[in-house]
Amino acid sequence: MSISLLDTLLKVWNNSAFPVITWQQVVMICVAGILIYMAIVKKYEPLLLLPIAFGVILANLPMANLMAPPPADGSGTGGLLYYIYLGVKLGIYPSLIFLGIGAMTDFGPLIARPSSLFLGAAAQLGIYIAFTVAVVLGFNPQEAASIAIIGGADGPTAIFLSSKLAPELLPAIAIAAYSYMALIPMIQPPIMRFLTSKKEREIEMVQLREVSKLERIVFPIVVTIVVCLLLPAVAPLLGMLMLGNLFRESGVVQRLSDTVQNALINIVTIFLATTVGATAVAEVFLSPETLKIVFLGLMAFIFSTIGGLLLGKLMCLLSGGKVNPLIGSAGVSAVPMAARVAQAEGQRANPANFLLMHAMGPNVAGVIGSAVAAGFLLTMFG
Amino acid sequence: MTLMDSLLVSLMGFAIVFLVLILLSVLIKLQSLVLRYIMEAMGKSTDMSIVLAEGGTVLAELPEVRDEGWSAGELKLIGVDEKTAAMIMAIVSDESQIPLSELQFKMIKAIDQEI
């Protein structure tokens, strides 16, 4: 038997994936490169964008078949990511992420000022405007609802809803949602300055009242019972959010609270982000629909900010200037980024202004608001 | 789905989000009133778990801190040395962009728990 070096190299080449890779897959790998750059260099939501981007690379490597389902005749097994992706498909990961978020969230500012909930509701305006425009642009109601939820500025909620209503759009929606959340410090301030006067931005708000431990413990129980009875579809997200919060506030399950807000949420984030990225295959992602989703997502974000600010201005007027309207912009649920932006803008107008805790109320109300909006859309189109 | 249908769905959806959150805000207010009434009736003061700084920033859950009797002029230091206190005052001045000479600190207290 004679072995030729050239023949061997040719054989390796022919058996490799290089000859079959398409230009679309190369483009997708370049897109992943840009996302990795944004995550590492620009620090845009690196915890999510980095695994998403790597998932995009894995999904676009021909012959790797990481997302391949098992053969129908049961003669083999599917790809690794196919099985991990089941957690997204079945809505498990977003709910587990909500469990961790609940354990990390302090609802104290919201309990101290329940009117914050109105701002959290107003900041869902973008969802419904984007929904209508998406329908006009030719998306079916399920797709339009999935795209519109980007305006809720809540990644797990967007993934939860689109995995149920329009799984084919999931990668574009997830990437758009997380990218815009990372860009909040650039998107919101110009709108905030345009819609508010300097005098309004300078308003200092009075200190929040004390919140007792008992109130904090009762809060997640009451919210779960009331909201899940009203909108059962929202139970997986809101139920987990409130369970996590009860872990935190009860003070008797420190180990569970610590696990869900650290180890569990980190593990689930790896599974969720990598597999969501792995659904971004070239044939699906490189389409005019993706550009429309990017446009609609931005529009939803902008209108959500506007909705929160306008109600903030109304509350400012009704309260005789006691409410700084900037906290309305924090009603988009990106926690705590949106609240930090409100704090920064308030302090920019008045260096003695401390809006962070006041903005945290609408901010966490936005999480509940976007979950309720998702529950409504799921009830309508699920 | 027609434009009118989508507008109707949007209006209904927005109204439902508002209604649910308004309902929640009413419940939270009621809950606070009832719980405070119960606590007062039981003769207990509610367990304070949030302490806000003068500017409105949450510091942390405050456990009982032993007064170690440090003092620097009119500023009382509890569990904090002068060097750390000076650093904190400089940071507050820098963050708030208010000259240190215009700020008046009354007390700096060390806390054990994480924020």
Side-chain angles (χ1 to χ4, degrees), chain A residues 52 247 263 272:
Chain A
I52 285 178
F247 284 167
L272 177 89

Side-chain angles (χ1 to χ4, degrees), chain A residues 347-362:
Chain A
Q347 211 158 48
R348 190 182 156 125
N350 173 6
N353 215 348
F354 291 91
L355 293 177
L356 187 63
M357 286 318 292
H358 304 287
M360 280 309 289

Side-chain angles (χ1 to χ4, degrees), chain A residues 220-233:
Chain A
I221 300 168
V222 169
V223 171
T224 305
I225 293 171
V226 173
V227 181
C228 295
L229 281 176
L230 269 173
L231 283 170

Side-chain angles (χ1 to χ4, degrees), chain B residues 43-57:
Chain B
K44 288 182 184 175
S45 60
T46 51
D47 177 18
M48 177 178 167
S49 54
I50 280 192
V51 174
L52 296 173
E54 278 179 79
T57 310

Side-chain angles (χ1 to χ4, degrees), chain B residues 39-72:
Chain B
M39 295 300 279
E40 278 167 21
M42 287 168 69
K44 288 182 184 175
S45 60
T46 51
D47 177 18
M48 177 178 167
S49 54
I50 280 192
V51 174
L52 296 173
E54 278 179 79
T57 310
V58 165
L59 291 178
E61 292 191 14
L62 268 191
E64 282 299 316
V65 179
R66 191 160 47 89
D67 186 339
E68 293 176 5
W70 280 84
S71 170

